[in-house]
Amino acid sequence: MTTRTEQEAIQQQFRQRMDEDELLNCMRCGFCLPSCPTYIESGYKESHSPRGRIALMKAVVDGLIEPDEDVERSLDMCLGCRACEPVCPSGVKYGHLLEEARDIINQNKKHSLPVRAVRKAVFDGLFPHQNRMRTLTGLLGFYQRSGLQKAARRTGVLKLLPENLSTMEKVLPDVPRLAEMKNRPEHLPAKGDTKSRVAFFSGCLMDTMFLETNNATMKLLQIAGCEIVIPKEQACCGALHGHSGEKASARELAKRNIKAFEDLNVDYIITNAGGCGAFLVDYGHLLKDDPDWEERARDFSMKLKDVTEILAELEFHKKVKLELPHQVITYQDSCHLRNVMKTASAPRKLIQAIKGTEYREMKDADRCCGSAGIYNIVESEMSMQILDYKMKQAKETHAATIVTANPGCLLQMKLGIERENLAGQVRAVHIVDLLLEAAGETSSLQ
């Protein structure tokens, strides 16, 4: 519970920091309502809609209401999928308002000791340090390979966890060995003629837990004719920090990444995770109040491009024979890839080029799957409601393969497959892994 002193501090910060012009841009027209999963799944509760949340923010700024637990709950319930932005006739940057409001509340609210300890461990002690990410992921790999995982499943000890977490344990990828995570390339030549020189944003979780997907991404880029530079100095994108009320830390990570990439003389900076890409492309806004970094941030963001976009532009799907055994394939949009990076047609074009397969569009493919970073852990009930709807649409396509373009979406769809007892009948796969499979290539790099 927030104290009176905390509420006064929060209200003062809302008045000083919230963009009132952006708040006033919301015309309360309601075009955002059909696009908001939490509004729909809450039974059309206004406070769980983008329009309703903006009204709450404005009311706090105007002193009409106090920033109490109900306001905080409304903001916490938001997925941050930003599906409201493309349909807004006024172009309201709702995502920016949400991040600012969450940051103000977090920075002026005294968390309990356990919560402070967890936040410090995660946001300060883990994600900014790739060597620690590798160590932690290495421990997970040891758990998977040593027999501990089999023992935990056999004894039923995992049933002590909440249902979604025990199911999540089943769908985690096979983690690479620590030596593989440490031995990462810094430069890769193009296969054949060089068509573009690019830098690859390898990420934190992507270059540890999803290392094989990163390898597949770089292999596809090589085949498409890209010379690749992978700077070792790069860091976590900062999305988890920015979405969780830790914007100061997000800014520091942004500066590390800008510095790592800005002198590489590349055409593009390539990402393969929609969530990371959307935060990276927003660095210009994140650092807009820092005159030493704003222009550098915008230059960085201008070079951002999702891997599917460059593969489509370089006509990878025409250069390489893509073929798989007959199967129905559908695609689940990454919210941030579609709503922020504006990438929707390129993934579909690449998938539809795979011979022997049939592509079927999923109804509401652009609606959030409920993953949203750590939302499926901290807001499990709502997340599972949203996932159940998503799986209903996926099942109606009769697809054997559900394709995603973001690691969180991938795990969430695998979780949905387990919840629907479809394991062995349906698989979820990242698009680059599917394309590498269709090309008949391995992910070995050279």
Side-chain angles (χ1 to χ4, degrees):
M1 180 179 292
T2 52
T3 66
R4 182 64 185 168
T5 301
E6 289 170 345
Q7 288 183 5
E8 289 174 354
I10 290 169
Q11 195 151 39
Q12 183 180 12
Q13 287 290 299
F14 261 68
R15 289 172 180 155
Q16 292 174 358
R17 291 174 50 184
M18 295 300 294
D19 187 336
E20 194 159 8
D21 289 340
E22 199 69 71
L23 290 172
L24 289 169
N25 278 343
C26 177
M27 301 184 299
R28 315 291 191 264
C29 64
F31 275 86
C32 59
L33 301 182
S35 70
C36 179
T38 56
Y39 174 71
I40 295 166
E41 295 298 334
S42 68
Y44 307 105
K45 191 173 181 180
E46 182 70 17
S47 62
H48 290 335
S49 73
R51 178 177 70 179
R53 292 182 178 110
I54 290 174
L56 289 174
M57 296 177 204
K58 183 68 168 64
V60 172
V61 170
D62 292 342
L64 299 177
I65 62 172
E66 295 177 344
D68 57 14
E69 282 74 21
D70 290 338
V71 173
E72 185 177 357
R73 182 72 189 128
S74 173
L75 299 180
D76 286 345
M77 186 64 76
C78 181
L79 292 150
C81 68
R82 297 173 72 168
C84 51
E85 293 186 15
V87 299
C88 177
S90 298
V92 176
K93 297 296 184 183
Y94 171 80
H96 296 164
L97 292 172
L98 177 68
E99 287 179 5
E100 195 72 8
R102 283 177 169 173
D103 189 60
I104 292 169
I105 291 172
N106 180 64
Q107 298 305 320
N108 290 279
K109 178 182 177 181
K110 187 175 181 181
H111 294 288
S112 66
L113 183 60
V115 171
R116 289 204 305 273
V118 170
R119 291 182 71 93
K120 185 168 182 60
V122 172
F123 295 126
D124 297 339
L126 181 59
F127 277 89
H129 307 282
Q130 191 65 359
N131 59 328
R132 297 177 190 175
M133 290 289 294
R134 285 192 290 262
T135 300
L136 183 63
T137 308
L139 291 174
L140 177 59
F142 175 78
Y143 164 77
Q144 291 177 332
R145 291 186 293 269
S146 66
L148 286 173
Q149 184 178 58
K150 290 181 180 178
R153 292 177 177 178
R154 187 172 59 250
T155 60
V157 69
L158 295 174
K159 293 180 180 178
L160 297 174
L161 296 172
E163 182 183 355
N164 67 316
L165 289 182
S166 61
T167 307
M168 186 70 76
E169 188 272 348
K170 294 180 183 179
V171 302
L172 290 175
D174 292 333
V175 174
R177 296 182 184 276
L178 190 58
E180 295 177 74
M181 290 186 278
K182 288 182 177 180
N183 186 27
R184 304 301 287 143
E186 294 182 53
H187 177 268
L188 291 168
K191 301 288 185 182
D193 295 337
T194 301
K195 296 183 178 180
S196 185
R197 176 179 162 89
V198 303
F200 179 53
F201 183 82
S202 53
C204 47
L205 277 176
M206 288 304 300
D207 216 42
T208 50
M209 188 178 294
F210 296 93
L211 182 140
E212 283 302 311
T213 299
N214 266 6
N215 287 349
T217 301
M218 290 186 281
K219 187 66 172 286
L220 293 177
L221 289 171
Q222 284 184 286
I223 295 170
C226 294
E227 176 190 1
I228 312 167
V229 183
I230 311 101
K232 290 187 72 172
E233 297 80 12
Q234 63 180 294
C236 168
C237 69
L240 184 62
H241 299 76
H243 300 328
S244 303
E246 299 283 348
K247 287 187 75 173
S249 296
R251 291 187 187 98
E252 291 309 309
L253 289 168
K255 291 173 183 178
R256 283 173 59 183
N257 283 321
I258 293 166
K259 190 174 180 180
F261 282 88
E262 66 184 346
D263 294 324
L264 298 180
N265 189 30
V266 295
D267 302 316
Y268 304 110
I269 300 169
I270 304 300
T271 68
N272 63 359
C276 295
F279 200 74
L280 293 167
V281 85
D282 252 355
Y283 273 3
H285 174 79
L286 183 66
L287 296 170
K288 64 182 175 61
D289 297 322
D290 191 328
D292 293 331
W293 288 91
E294 181 181 9
E295 186 175 350
R296 295 166 72 180
R298 295 193 186 282
D299 289 343
F300 173 92
S301 296
M302 287 289 290
K303 290 189 174 183
L304 257 294
K305 191 182 289 287
D306 185 72
V307 60
T308 59
E309 287 282 5
I310 192 168
L311 291 177
E313 286 177 14
L314 295 178
E315 298 189 325
F316 167 84
H317 54 300
K318 296 180 181 179
K319 177 181 178 180
V320 177
K321 181 181 179 182
L322 301 173
E323 189 169 7
L324 286 173
H326 178 71
Q327 59 193 280
V328 175
I329 298 177
T330 194
Y331 177 68
Q332 160 61 24
D333 283 284
S334 157
C335 296
H336 288 113
L337 183 60
R338 185 184 184 108
N339 299 328
V340 183
M341 295 191 75
K342 312 302 183 187
T343 295
S345 63
R348 289 170 168 82
K349 183 186 294 184
L350 294 168
I351 294 168
Q352 290 170 19
I354 303 174
K355 291 181 171 59
T357 67
E358 178 186 349
Y359 178 79
R360 292 181 189 168
E361 184 72 13
M362 185 195 311
K363 180 185 176 184
D364 292 332
D366 58 346
R367 185 184 291 187
C368 184
C369 65
S371 173
I374 58 172
Y375 188 93
N376 57 1
I377 297 173
V378 298
E379 298 290 350
S380 175
E381 183 178 353
M382 178 60 76
S383 175
M384 292 305 104
Q385 278 184 240
I386 293 167
L387 177 58
D388 289 344
Y389 177 83
K390 180 62 62 177
M391 290 308 300
K392 180 177 182 292
Q393 309 315 315
K395 285 194 294 183
E396 289 184 359
T397 68
H398 300 287
T401 300
I402 303 172
V403 183
T404 74
N406 185 62
C409 302
L410 178 61
L411 291 180
Q412 185 81 338
M413 298 312 295
K414 286 186 175 184
L415 184 62
I417 290 168
E418 288 288 336
R419 283 168 59 86
E420 297 291 333
N421 296 313
L422 293 173
Q425 304 170 52
V426 179
R427 65 170 178 162
V429 61
H430 192 289
I431 188 169
V432 297
D433 294 313
L434 181 77
L435 292 172
L436 194 71
E437 178 187 349
E441 295 279 352
T442 67
S443 59
S444 61
L445 299 173
Q446 56 183 7

